[in-house]
Amino acid sequence: PGNIFKDFQRALLGLRDQGVLLSIASKNNLDDVLEVFDKHTDCLLKKSDFSSMQIHWEDKASSIEVISEELNIGLDTIVFFDDNPVERDWVRKQLPNVKVIEVPKNSMDYLKALNESTFFDRLTVTNEDRARADIYQREQQKKIDLNKSVSVDDFLKDLKMTVNIGFSNDITITRIVQLLNKTNQFNLTTKRYSSADVTKIILNGGKVLWLSAADRYGDNGIVGVSILVKIKEKDWLIDSMLLSCRVIGRKIETVFLAEIIEILRGYNADVVYGQYLPTKKNNIVSDFYNQHSFQLTDKKNNFWKFNLNESYIIKPNYIEVSIKND
């Protein structure tokens, strides 16, 4: 019977390797749970495999909310697996956006229930997916170090951040499309595009940019995308601009926008327009263009204008930038 649980743990580790973050919401004594990880020889999962652990005697819906905030992910991206029907029912009622797997009574069917839930089905797995769990663990360490810092600016300078910006190609398009279709918070328009759509934009003269970021903790991979469309001879539109939530607040967004402006300056652009399309989740960028010297030109449709002949965007000097040519 123990092999059933080992197989289930192997399946969870497999999901982790595909980019699924593992977390614990447990009603238990913390020391008792940690002892299992440290001393139980049949426990394949280790403490280091989990991105967040809420182990106490509070209710599990509250624990899931803390996990969501801690990892900066939406409740609608969380899947709850619990063998107690009372706990499952409680989470369903308290957090209707959380996906709850109906776990069978017989533990021999746990793995089948996990696989047949279809919540983890995907056609492709990117390098960023494979590294996601490790990246989130590094993010937790950053938060700890930030709390120890004298100031946010000192912490950001000490991160030794580097940014690479390049143009979409056959290697990067899968990750670009993934970000376009799943990024909600730092996403100015939340437009969704397929690989075919992105290819068509490029064929029609548009520019599709990616941004990767790294720091002294490690490489975050591709975390940003922007789509630029020419609307007149010297006028361009930022059709899409987005960043993964894990790099928000580090001034990388300012660097990205500044480099977008400079790239368009190289295409002899005079004016760049940007648009903010509000959703329930992207309020964080509602004032983005205003903060970066764009002027509101169409209040109804939320269009903003930047004149390249009159203005520059000042970017922080502690982020090293490299541009990969078109």
Side-chain angles (χ1 to χ4, degrees):
N3 288 332
I4 296 169
F5 294 100
K6 280 189 175 181
D7 288 343
F8 185 74
Q9 290 181 70
R10 290 188 185 99
L12 294 181
L13 289 170
L15 289 175
R16 184 185 184 277
D17 290 341
Q18 295 176 36
V20 175
L21 305 179
L22 304 182
S23 296
I24 295 176
S26 175
K27 289 181 178 179
N28 216 317
N29 293 320
L30 177 60
D31 290 342
D32 293 340
V33 175
L34 296 181
E35 184 178 2
V36 172
F37 287 129
D38 292 337
K39 298 182 179 180
H40 200 303
T41 56
D42 288 328
C43 188
L44 304 182
L45 291 163
K46 303 302 178 186
K47 180 183 175 182
S48 59
D49 292 321
F50 294 90
S51 299
S52 179
M53 300 174 71
Q54 290 298 311
I55 304 169
H56 42 62
W57 294 101
E58 302 298 323
D59 74 278
K60 293 189 178 183
S62 297
S63 291
I64 291 172
E65 288 182 306
V66 173
I67 290 169
S68 172
E69 293 174 6
E70 193 174 273
L71 299 179
N72 198 17
I73 59 176
L75 289 170
D76 58 349
T77 68
I78 292 177
V79 178
F80 183 58
F81 190 103
D82 196 296
D83 63 352
N84 188 328
V86 175
E87 299 290 358
R88 296 198 300 270
D89 195 41
W90 173 254
V91 169
R92 282 194 186 97
K93 290 177 179 177
Q94 299 300 312
L95 304 173
N97 288 335
V98 171
K99 301 172 180 65
V100 180
I101 294 178
E102 191 54 39
V103 180
K105 293 181 179 179
N106 190 336
S107 58
M108 291 187 68
D109 295 324
Y110 283 4
L111 188 54
K112 181 180 179 183
L114 184 72
N115 292 332
E116 292 184 353
S117 70
T118 71
F119 292 139
F120 307 104
D121 292 353
R122 62 179 67 193
L123 294 175
T124 58
V125 178
T126 66
N127 291 332
E128 286 78 9
D129 291 329
R130 296 184 183 95
R132 181 173 293 116
D134 293 331
I135 289 171
Y136 270 82
Q137 284 187 334
R138 296 201 299 265
E139 290 303 309
Q140 299 307 309
Q141 185 59 50
K142 286 179 192 175
K143 290 179 181 178
I144 294 171
D145 292 346
L146 173 58
N147 291 333
K148 296 178 182 178
S149 296
V150 175
S151 71
V152 174
D153 283 342
D154 288 340
F155 174 76
L156 292 177
K157 291 175 183 177
D158 193 45
L159 275 180
K160 301 187 183 339
M161 288 180 280
T162 60
V163 161
N164 289 318
I165 297 171
F167 294 81
S168 174
N169 56 33
D170 292 341
I171 297 174
T172 58
I173 191 169
T174 299
R175 175 60 175 169
I176 287 170
V177 171
Q178 184 184 60
L179 285 171
L180 284 167
N181 286 284
K182 77 172 190 177
T183 306
N184 296 304
Q185 292 175 308
F186 197 106
N187 192 333
L188 285 148
T189 57
T190 325
K191 294 181 180 179
R192 309 305 192 186
Y193 291 116
S194 66
S195 295
D197 294 329
V198 171
T199 300
K200 185 176 180 180
I201 289 170
I202 296 170
L203 290 175
N204 288 335
K207 305 296 178 183
V208 179
L209 304 176
W210 54 264
L211 176 146
S212 66
D215 52 46
R216 65 184 177 88
Y217 292 89
D219 191 348
N220 288 291
I222 294 177
V223 291
V225 174
S226 182
I227 295 178
L228 312 174
V229 177
K230 193 174 186 178
I231 53 177
K232 288 183 181 178
E233 181 59 31
K234 293 193 174 184
D235 293 4
W236 287 74
L237 170 69
I238 301 175
D239 175 88
S240 299
M241 182 179 172
L242 57 91
L243 283 174
S244 169
C245 60
R246 62 176 178 257
V247 296
I248 294 174
R250 301 182 197 170
K251 307 296 177 68
I252 289 176
E253 58 272 19
T254 297
V255 169
F256 199 12
L257 184 59
E259 294 301 338
I260 287 170
I261 296 297
E262 293 310 306
I263 287 170
L264 292 179
R265 204 186 296 276
Y267 292 125
N268 297 315
D270 285 339
V271 175
V272 177
Y273 291 93
Q275 186 180 20
Y276 167 62
L277 297 177
T279 69
K280 292 180 179 180
K281 296 184 178 182
N282 74 348
N283 185 61
I284 191 175
V285 292
S286 61
D287 205 36
F288 179 73
Y289 284 125
N290 182 46
Q291 292 173 347
H292 291 85
S293 303
F294 278 65
Q295 303 299 316
L296 184 63
T297 60
D298 183 346
K299 188 174 182 180
K300 180 181 178 181
N301 296 300
N302 230 321
F303 273 100
W304 297 76
K305 178 181 178 181
F306 187 91
N307 191 319
L308 279 75
N309 297 317
E310 298 176 358
S311 302
Y312 287 83
I313 294 177
I314 299 173
K315 58 188 179 183
N317 58 13
Y318 51 78
I319 300 178
E320 182 182 328
V321 183
S322 176
I323 306 295
K324 308 299 181 183
N325 292 326
D326 191 355

